[in-house]
Amino acid sequence: MNKDITLEARNKAGNYFKEGYNCAEAIFLTFREYLAPEISPETVKLVTGFGHGMGRTGCMCGALTSSIMALNMIEGRTSLEDNRYSAYDCAGEFHERFVNEFGTSCCRALNPYPFESPEHLKNCLKITGNTGKLLMDFLQEKGLYLEESKIST
């Protein structure tokens, strides 16, 4: 397993968050680069509402939600004839790994600080970066990431 790329993914996700993207956007933009660079960066708008637990409701963590979207870039189906169960399996397994790492998938439990307070932003930065690391580890373990020669640095 390439630990350099794992740390790179963590740092990219964290840097997108520091630039002002929310947790979901940061994960999506990071893994779009790795997994589907042909997808326009403008498609980040598809994940904006996942931030702060689905539009500030505090439900499913946006970083986790976008991680599942990243997995779907590889395992998702494009027709009814395609198998959907490999995508379900990856999503379920990554969700379980996320919960094992962070203790929950619920945004309000992961980050109990007032929205956009300094404490909230610091904690969300940590969660976002570590989710990027967790996802890259998962992709490498499953053999789902592109060859290193194709990954931008």
PDB file of all heavy atoms in Angstrom, residues 36-59:
ATOM      1  N   ALA A  36     -11.693   9.981 -11.434  1.00  0.00           N
ATOM      2  CA  ALA A  36     -12.424  10.340 -12.654  1.00  0.00           C
ATOM      3  C   ALA A  36     -12.063  11.756 -13.078  1.00  0.00           C
ATOM      4  O   ALA A  36     -12.920  12.648 -13.093  1.00  0.00           O
ATOM      5  CB  ALA A  36     -13.924  10.196 -12.432  1.00  0.00           C
ATOM      6  N   PRO A  37     -10.804  11.998 -13.427  1.00  0.00           N
ATOM      7  CA  PRO A  37     -10.396  13.363 -13.773  1.00  0.00           C
ATOM      8  C   PRO A  37     -11.116  13.911 -14.999  1.00  0.00           C
ATOM      9  O   PRO A  37     -11.131  15.126 -15.200  1.00  0.00           O
ATOM     10  CB  PRO A  37      -8.887  13.240 -14.014  1.00  0.00           C
ATOM     11  CG  PRO A  37      -8.648  11.800 -14.264  1.00  0.00           C
ATOM     12  CD  PRO A  37      -9.707  11.053 -13.519  1.00  0.00           C
ATOM     13  N   GLU A  38     -11.744  13.049 -15.764  1.00  0.00           N
ATOM     14  CA  GLU A  38     -12.500  13.514 -16.930  1.00  0.00           C
ATOM     15  C   GLU A  38     -13.804  14.204 -16.526  1.00  0.00           C
ATOM     16  O   GLU A  38     -14.406  14.923 -17.319  1.00  0.00           O
ATOM     17  CB  GLU A  38     -12.785  12.344 -17.885  1.00  0.00           C
ATOM     18  CG  GLU A  38     -13.766  11.315 -17.369  1.00  0.00           C
ATOM     19  CD  GLU A  38     -13.185  10.265 -16.413  1.00  0.00           C
ATOM     20  OE1 GLU A  38     -12.001  10.361 -16.023  1.00  0.00           O
ATOM     21  OE2 GLU A  38     -13.938   9.345 -16.042  1.00  0.00           O
ATOM     22  N   ILE A  39     -14.241  14.001 -15.302  1.00  0.00           N
ATOM     23  CA  ILE A  39     -15.442  14.665 -14.801  1.00  0.00           C
ATOM     24  C   ILE A  39     -15.085  16.117 -14.484  1.00  0.00           C
ATOM     25  O   ILE A  39     -14.095  16.390 -13.811  1.00  0.00           O
ATOM     26  CB  ILE A  39     -15.993  13.962 -13.545  1.00  0.00           C
ATOM     27  CG1 ILE A  39     -16.469  12.551 -13.899  1.00  0.00           C
ATOM     28  CG2 ILE A  39     -17.122  14.769 -12.926  1.00  0.00           C
ATOM     29  CD1 ILE A  39     -16.907  11.753 -12.682  1.00  0.00           C
ATOM     30  N   SER A  40     -15.898  17.034 -14.948  1.00  0.00           N
ATOM     31  CA  SER A  40     -15.634  18.459 -14.726  1.00  0.00           C
ATOM     32  C   SER A  40     -15.652  18.794 -13.237  1.00  0.00           C
ATOM     33  O   SER A  40     -16.538  18.334 -12.504  1.00  0.00           O
ATOM     34  CB  SER A  40     -16.708  19.285 -15.438  1.00  0.00           C
ATOM     35  OG  SER A  40     -16.624  20.630 -15.027  1.00  0.00           O
ATOM     36  N   PRO A  41     -14.702  19.615 -12.779  1.00  0.00           N
ATOM     37  CA  PRO A  41     -14.723  20.056 -11.386  1.00  0.00           C
ATOM     38  C   PRO A  41     -16.017  20.802 -11.035  1.00  0.00           C
ATOM     39  O   PRO A  41     -16.392  20.877  -9.872  1.00  0.00           O
ATOM     40  CB  PRO A  41     -13.523  20.988 -11.267  1.00  0.00           C
ATOM     41  CG  PRO A  41     -12.666  20.719 -12.449  1.00  0.00           C
ATOM     42  CD  PRO A  41     -13.555  20.139 -13.509  1.00  0.00           C
ATOM     43  N   GLU A  42     -16.693  21.340 -12.040  1.00  0.00           N
ATOM     44  CA  GLU A  42     -17.957  22.052 -11.789  1.00  0.00           C
ATOM     45  C   GLU A  42     -19.046  21.133 -11.242  1.00  0.00           C
ATOM     46  O   GLU A  42     -20.021  21.610 -10.662  1.00  0.00           O
ATOM     47  CB  GLU A  42     -18.435  22.717 -13.068  1.00  0.00           C
ATOM     48  CG  GLU A  42     -17.528  23.849 -13.515  1.00  0.00           C
ATOM     49  CD  GLU A  42     -17.930  24.443 -14.853  1.00  0.00           C
ATOM     50  OE1 GLU A  42     -18.922  23.978 -15.462  1.00  0.00           O
ATOM     51  OE2 GLU A  42     -17.245  25.379 -15.290  1.00  0.00           O
ATOM     52  N   THR A  43     -18.882  19.831 -11.406  1.00  0.00           N
ATOM     53  CA  THR A  43     -19.880  18.899 -10.881  1.00  0.00           C
ATOM     54  C   THR A  43     -19.862  18.859  -9.351  1.00  0.00           C
ATOM     55  O   THR A  43     -20.715  18.204  -8.756  1.00  0.00           O
ATOM     56  CB  THR A  43     -19.696  17.479 -11.456  1.00  0.00           C
ATOM     57  OG1 THR A  43     -18.379  17.019 -11.133  1.00  0.00           O
ATOM     58  CG2 THR A  43     -19.919  17.453 -12.949  1.00  0.00           C
ATOM     59  N   VAL A  44     -18.939  19.581  -8.738  1.00  0.00           N
ATOM     60  CA  VAL A  44     -18.916  19.673  -7.282  1.00  0.00           C
ATOM     61  C   VAL A  44     -20.267  20.168  -6.760  1.00  0.00           C
ATOM     62  O   VAL A  44     -20.663  19.847  -5.642  1.00  0.00           O
ATOM     63  CB  VAL A  44     -17.747  20.560  -6.788  1.00  0.00           C
ATOM     64  CG1 VAL A  44     -17.966  22.017  -7.137  1.00  0.00           C
ATOM     65  CG2 VAL A  44     -17.522  20.380  -5.297  1.00  0.00           C
ATOM     66  N   LYS A  45     -20.986  20.901  -7.601  1.00  0.00           N
ATOM     67  CA  LYS A  45     -22.293  21.413  -7.168  1.00  0.00           C
ATOM     68  C   LYS A  45     -23.270  20.288  -6.818  1.00  0.00           C
ATOM     69  O   LYS A  45     -24.221  20.506  -6.065  1.00  0.00           O
ATOM     70  CB  LYS A  45     -22.888  22.340  -8.228  1.00  0.00           C
ATOM     71  CG  LYS A  45     -23.275  21.677  -9.522  1.00  0.00           C
ATOM     72  CD  LYS A  45     -23.764  22.721 -10.508  1.00  0.00           C
ATOM     73  CE  LYS A  45     -24.133  22.119 -11.838  1.00  0.00           C
ATOM     74  NZ  LYS A  45     -24.568  23.160 -12.764  1.00  0.00           N
ATOM     75  N   LEU A  46     -23.017  19.085  -7.316  1.00  0.00           N
ATOM     76  CA  LEU A  46     -23.882  17.946  -7.008  1.00  0.00           C
ATOM     77  C   LEU A  46     -23.806  17.535  -5.539  1.00  0.00           C
ATOM     78  O   LEU A  46     -24.704  16.859  -5.044  1.00  0.00           O
ATOM     79  CB  LEU A  46     -23.522  16.742  -7.885  1.00  0.00           C
ATOM     80  CG  LEU A  46     -23.723  16.907  -9.380  1.00  0.00           C
ATOM     81  CD1 LEU A  46     -23.157  15.705 -10.127  1.00  0.00           C
ATOM     82  CD2 LEU A  46     -25.196  17.093  -9.703  1.00  0.00           C
ATOM     83  N   VAL A  47     -22.746  17.926  -4.843  1.00  0.00           N
ATOM     84  CA  VAL A  47     -22.565  17.489  -3.456  1.00  0.00           C
ATOM     85  C   VAL A  47     -22.669  18.619  -2.436  1.00  0.00           C
ATOM     86  O   VAL A  47     -22.618  18.366  -1.237  1.00  0.00           O
ATOM     87  CB  VAL A  47     -21.227  16.736  -3.285  1.00  0.00           C
ATOM     88  CG1 VAL A  47     -21.147  15.536  -4.200  1.00  0.00           C
ATOM     89  CG2 VAL A  47     -20.035  17.631  -3.476  1.00  0.00           C
ATOM     90  N   THR A  48     -22.835  19.840  -2.883  1.00  0.00           N
ATOM     91  CA  THR A  48     -22.845  20.984  -1.955  1.00  0.00           C
ATOM     92  C   THR A  48     -23.850  20.792  -0.821  1.00  0.00           C
ATOM     93  O   THR A  48     -23.520  21.016   0.346  1.00  0.00           O
ATOM     94  CB  THR A  48     -23.125  22.290  -2.719  1.00  0.00           C
ATOM     95  OG1 THR A  48     -22.088  22.488  -3.682  1.00  0.00           O
ATOM     96  CG2 THR A  48     -23.176  23.484  -1.776  1.00  0.00           C
ATOM     97  N   GLY A  49     -25.035  20.367  -1.110  1.00  0.00           N
ATOM     98  CA  GLY A  49     -26.082  20.215  -0.098  1.00  0.00           C
ATOM     99  C   GLY A  49     -25.838  19.117   0.920  1.00  0.00           C
ATOM    100  O   GLY A  49     -26.545  19.023   1.919  1.00  0.00           O
ATOM    101  N   PHE A  50     -24.813  18.288   0.697  1.00  0.00           N
ATOM    102  CA  PHE A  50     -24.486  17.235   1.664  1.00  0.00           C
ATOM    103  C   PHE A  50     -23.729  17.782   2.868  1.00  0.00           C
ATOM    104  O   PHE A  50     -23.589  17.102   3.881  1.00  0.00           O
ATOM    105  CB  PHE A  50     -23.639  16.131   1.022  1.00  0.00           C
ATOM    106  CG  PHE A  50     -24.330  15.361  -0.069  1.00  0.00           C
ATOM    107  CD1 PHE A  50     -23.582  14.776  -1.080  1.00  0.00           C
ATOM    108  CD2 PHE A  50     -25.711  15.211  -0.114  1.00  0.00           C
ATOM    109  CE1 PHE A  50     -24.194  14.058  -2.097  1.00  0.00           C
ATOM    110  CE2 PHE A  50     -26.328  14.496  -1.127  1.00  0.00           C
ATOM    111  CZ  PHE A  50     -25.569  13.915  -2.119  1.00  0.00           C
ATOM    112  N   GLY A  51     -23.237  19.016   2.746  1.00  0.00           N
ATOM    113  CA  GLY A  51     -22.447  19.599   3.818  1.00  0.00           C
ATOM    114  C   GLY A  51     -23.229  19.763   5.110  1.00  0.00           C
ATOM    115  O   GLY A  51     -24.447  19.953   5.101  1.00  0.00           O
ATOM    116  N   HIS A  52     -22.495  19.682   6.201  1.00  0.00           N
ATOM    117  CA  HIS A  52     -23.033  19.786   7.568  1.00  0.00           C
ATOM    118  C   HIS A  52     -24.213  18.836   7.764  1.00  0.00           C
ATOM    119  O   HIS A  52     -25.276  19.204   8.249  1.00  0.00           O
ATOM    120  CB  HIS A  52     -23.407  21.225   7.914  1.00  0.00           C
ATOM    121  CG  HIS A  52     -23.569  21.435   9.395  1.00  0.00           C
ATOM    122  ND1 HIS A  52     -22.513  21.428  10.267  1.00  0.00           N
ATOM    123  CD2 HIS A  52     -24.671  21.644  10.136  1.00  0.00           C
ATOM    124  CE1 HIS A  52     -22.962  21.626  11.486  1.00  0.00           C
ATOM    125  NE2 HIS A  52     -24.265  21.760  11.429  1.00  0.00           N
ATOM    126  N   GLY A  53     -23.975  17.599   7.367  1.00  0.00           N
ATOM    127  CA  GLY A  53     -24.967  16.555   7.631  1.00  0.00           C
ATOM    128  C   GLY A  53     -26.261  16.738   6.875  1.00  0.00           C
ATOM    129  O   GLY A  53     -27.334  16.720   7.460  1.00  0.00           O
ATOM    130  N   MET A  54     -26.185  16.946   5.586  1.00  0.00           N
ATOM    131  CA  MET A  54     -27.334  17.130   4.694  1.00  0.00           C
ATOM    132  C   MET A  54     -28.019  18.470   4.953  1.00  0.00           C
ATOM    133  O   MET A  54     -29.085  18.551   5.545  1.00  0.00           O
ATOM    134  CB  MET A  54     -28.362  15.998   4.824  1.00  0.00           C
ATOM    135  CG  MET A  54     -27.848  14.626   4.542  1.00  0.00           C
ATOM    136  SD  MET A  54     -27.534  14.433   2.800  1.00  0.00           S
ATOM    137  CE  MET A  54     -26.864  12.792   2.781  1.00  0.00           C
ATOM    138  N   GLY A  55     -27.361  19.515   4.553  1.00  0.00           N
ATOM    139  CA  GLY A  55     -27.971  20.842   4.619  1.00  0.00           C
ATOM    140  C   GLY A  55     -28.191  21.354   6.017  1.00  0.00           C
ATOM    141  O   GLY A  55     -29.252  21.891   6.330  1.00  0.00           O
ATOM    142  N   ARG A  56     -27.206  21.190   6.875  1.00  0.00           N
ATOM    143  CA  ARG A  56     -27.221  21.652   8.269  1.00  0.00           C
ATOM    144  C   ARG A  56     -28.237  20.932   9.139  1.00  0.00           C
ATOM    145  O   ARG A  56     -28.626  21.437  10.190  1.00  0.00           O
ATOM    146  CB  ARG A  56     -27.428  23.164   8.355  1.00  0.00           C
ATOM    147  CG  ARG A  56     -26.321  23.973   7.759  1.00  0.00           C
ATOM    148  CD  ARG A  56     -26.506  25.456   8.009  1.00  0.00           C
ATOM    149  NE  ARG A  56     -27.839  25.898   7.628  1.00  0.00           N
ATOM    150  CZ  ARG A  56     -28.103  26.738   6.658  1.00  0.00           C
ATOM    151  NH1 ARG A  56     -27.127  27.263   5.964  1.00  0.00           N
ATOM    152  NH2 ARG A  56     -29.334  27.089   6.377  1.00  0.00           N
ATOM    153  N   THR A  57     -28.673  19.747   8.745  1.00  0.00           N
ATOM    154  CA  THR A  57     -29.581  18.984   9.598  1.00  0.00           C
ATOM    155  C   THR A  57     -28.830  18.152  10.622  1.00  0.00           C
ATOM    156  O   THR A  57     -29.428  17.668  11.576  1.00  0.00           O
ATOM    157  CB  THR A  57     -30.488  18.045   8.772  1.00  0.00           C
ATOM    158  OG1 THR A  57     -29.676  17.054   8.133  1.00  0.00           O
ATOM    159  CG2 THR A  57     -31.316  18.816   7.766  1.00  0.00           C
ATOM    160  N   GLY A  58     -27.518  17.958  10.404  1.00  0.00           N
ATOM    161  CA  GLY A  58     -26.709  17.182  11.329  1.00  0.00           C
ATOM    162  C   GLY A  58     -26.839  15.682  11.155  1.00  0.00           C
ATOM    163  O   GLY A  58     -26.427  14.929  12.036  1.00  0.00           O
ATOM    164  N   CYS A  59     -27.405  15.260  10.045  1.00  0.00           N
ATOM    165  CA  CYS A  59     -27.568  13.819   9.818  1.00  0.00           C
ATOM    166  C   CYS A  59     -26.281  13.212   9.259  1.00  0.00           C
ATOM    167  O   CYS A  59     -25.219  13.492   9.777  1.00  0.00           O
ATOM    168  CB  CYS A  59     -28.765  13.576   8.906  1.00  0.00           C
ATOM    169  SG  CYS A  59     -30.329  14.026   9.701  1.00  0.00           S
TER     170      CYS A  59
END
